[in-house]
Amino acid sequence: MLVLGIETSCDETGVALYSSERGLVAPIVYSQTELHAKYGGVVPELASRDHVRKLIPLIRQALFEASMTVKEIDAIAYTAGPGLIGSLMVGATIGRTLAWSLQIPSIGVHHMEAHLLASLLSSERPKPPFVALLVSGGHTQLVYVEQIGKYKLLGQSLDDAAGEAFDKTAKLLGLGYPGGPEISRVAQQGNSSRFKLPQPLTDKPTLNFSFSGLKTAVRNLIAKTSSMTEQTKADIAASFELAVTETLHKKCKQAIEQTRANTLIVSGGVAANSTLRETLQKLSCEVHYPPQELCTDNGAMIAFAGHERLQSGFIEPLKISTSARWEIESLPSTLT
């Protein structure tokens, strides 16, 4: 089976092909970072317009790189949610319409399940049960995976996601967008012990997260700092990065102890953060990540997630359906 994957949930236009025989083929990602950078964040209307411009040319490019034709595609998978509704509608409309014209099945994929399954595209494929930390610009979740397709949400952010907190803190420090890489770059020259920033909810039994208070603490710290030198900026960035990564580490440790799982997988854009990876190595369990290039939003994870569901016999009616909010626990347990 050859599945075309389409990702348009936010500000990356991702396309890839996944073959039962060949595996991942021709993954392509177009990032809108430059488009949104001057606004300090994603502008939804601009994002959806850019997906309209880029998606079909990227599909053609992927087929060209794979030396395939559109008639060789057996099914199409697209991101149906969660995400920006306008952006989701672009991928859903093109994916469903193309599938209808080719008279092949199409399937809407849950964005966070796709991130979760991206770890299975690595050379060392972890086997459930395990705990998954899904950490990105829009979501921070801990999920217990009893089996692929059967999920229990253990905890999630009550306000800002970790990636969102990185973006907002970078903006407070006058750094560029996206904030994650910028914070990490500046933090390399900083002293993470100079400022003690809060690690919200780490003293509570809950597995939920909260990062808005941390962001406010940074704002207050900047406001009362008389001289914002480059070194002070680096020290604040390092202290902030430490607070986030230690928070994630402590919650993952709680989740592992609570579920008695011996494996943790970490996926999403923040999973690429080197400080987080170093911190999570302290855990007394195996820790797995997707390939580095598959941590951020991409079409490969959508193609693979769609392939796995279609192979299990899951089918959907011919209709365009998207959802800006979509709980991962609501997914039908059709995978084995």
Side-chain angles (χ1 to χ4, degrees):
M1 176 183 286
L2 179 67
V3 180
L4 169 67
I6 295 172
E7 157 59 17
T8 61
S9 66
C10 191
D11 60 340
E12 271 94 23
T13 312
V15 172
L17 295 158
Y18 186 84
S19 165
S20 301
E21 293 76 31
R22 298 171 57 184
L24 184 60
V25 183
I28 301 171
V29 177
Y30 170 78
S31 175
Q32 299 177 1
T33 297
E34 187 175 342
L35 174 66
H36 301 287
K38 60 183 176 182
Y39 303 103
V42 178
V43 181
E45 180 63 25
L46 295 180
S48 57
R49 289 181 183 180
D50 214 42
H51 289 310
V52 171
R53 284 191 290 265
K54 298 295 184 181
L55 185 51
I56 291 178
L58 288 178
I59 292 173
R60 288 175 176 153
Q61 182 182 342
L63 289 168
F64 175 79
E65 292 184 7
S67 300
M68 294 176 174
T69 68
V70 70
K71 293 184 178 180
E72 294 179 75
I73 300 172
D74 297 308
I76 296 175
Y78 61 88
T79 306
L84 300 176
I85 195 64
S87 294
L88 292 170
M89 283 299 295
V90 176
T93 302
I94 291 177
R96 284 286 189 193
T97 302
L98 182 57
W100 177 81
S101 68
L102 295 170
Q103 296 186 322
I104 59 175
S106 59
I107 183 172
V109 169
H110 191 288
H111 183 74
M112 300 313 293
E113 180 183 43
H115 269 306
L116 189 156
L117 295 180
S119 294
L120 305 187
L121 287 166
S122 62
S123 56
E124 297 181 1
R125 181 169 177 159
K127 295 181 179 180
F130 50 71
V131 171
L133 172 65
L134 308 177
V135 56
S136 65
H139 298 83
T140 302
Q141 296 181 335
L142 277 168
V143 178
Y144 180 64
V145 181
E146 182 177 333
Q147 64 184 50
I148 303 304
K150 190 172 183 179
Y151 310 119
K152 180 182 179 181
L153 183 65
L154 301 174
Q156 61 186 333
S157 180
L158 302 177
D159 37 60
D160 292 350
E164 185 180 5
F166 269 101
D167 288 340
K168 291 180 178 179
T169 300
K171 192 172 183 178
L172 289 171
L173 290 171
L175 303 177
Y177 174 84
E182 287 295 296
I183 290 282
S184 295
R185 177 183 62 81
V186 174
Q188 290 179 4
Q189 309 303 320
N191 176 8
S192 62
S193 62
R194 179 178 173 185
F195 301 107
K196 186 171 180 59
L197 293 173
Q199 298 175 19
L201 298 184
T202 53
D203 59 343
K204 307 291 184 183
T206 177
L207 289 175
N208 288 328
F209 302 88
S210 174
F211 293 106
S212 64
L214 173 58
K215 174 198 63 184
T216 301
V218 172
R219 179 188 288 116
N220 293 339
L221 176 61
I222 293 172
K224 67 181 182 181
T225 301
S226 56
S227 178
M228 184 58 67
T229 64
E230 290 302 311
Q231 186 58 54
T232 298
K233 187 182 292 186
D235 292 344
I236 293 174
S239 300
F240 169 82
E241 187 175 55
L242 177 66
V244 173
T245 55
E246 283 294 331
T247 297
L248 294 173
H249 167 262
K250 290 174 181 178
K251 291 300 180 181
C252 286
K253 183 180 179 181
Q254 281 182 252
I256 291 294
E257 292 173 350
Q258 181 176 307
T259 61
R260 299 184 179 180
N262 56 18
T263 302
L264 172 74
I265 67 169
V266 187
S267 194
V270 182
N273 183 282
S274 59
T275 302
L276 176 61
R277 292 190 175 212
E278 291 172 9
T279 304
L280 291 180
Q281 291 308 315
K282 302 174 187 176
L283 293 170
S284 57
C285 67
E286 292 184 10
V287 184
H288 294 265
Y289 303 87
Q292 190 84 3
E293 66 274 13
L294 299 184
C295 286
T296 54
D297 294 348
N298 60 84
M301 67 182 191
I302 303 302
F304 179 66
H307 175 273
E308 296 297 282
R309 284 200 167 268
L310 289 163
Q311 286 283 72
S312 70
F314 186 77
I315 58 173
E316 285 187 336
L318 184 61
K319 65 176 182 178
I320 296 173
S321 178
T322 58
S323 179
R325 296 181 180 274
W326 187 5
E327 297 298 329
I328 195 170
E329 288 180 302
S330 69
L331 290 173
S333 302
T334 60
L335 304 189
T336 58

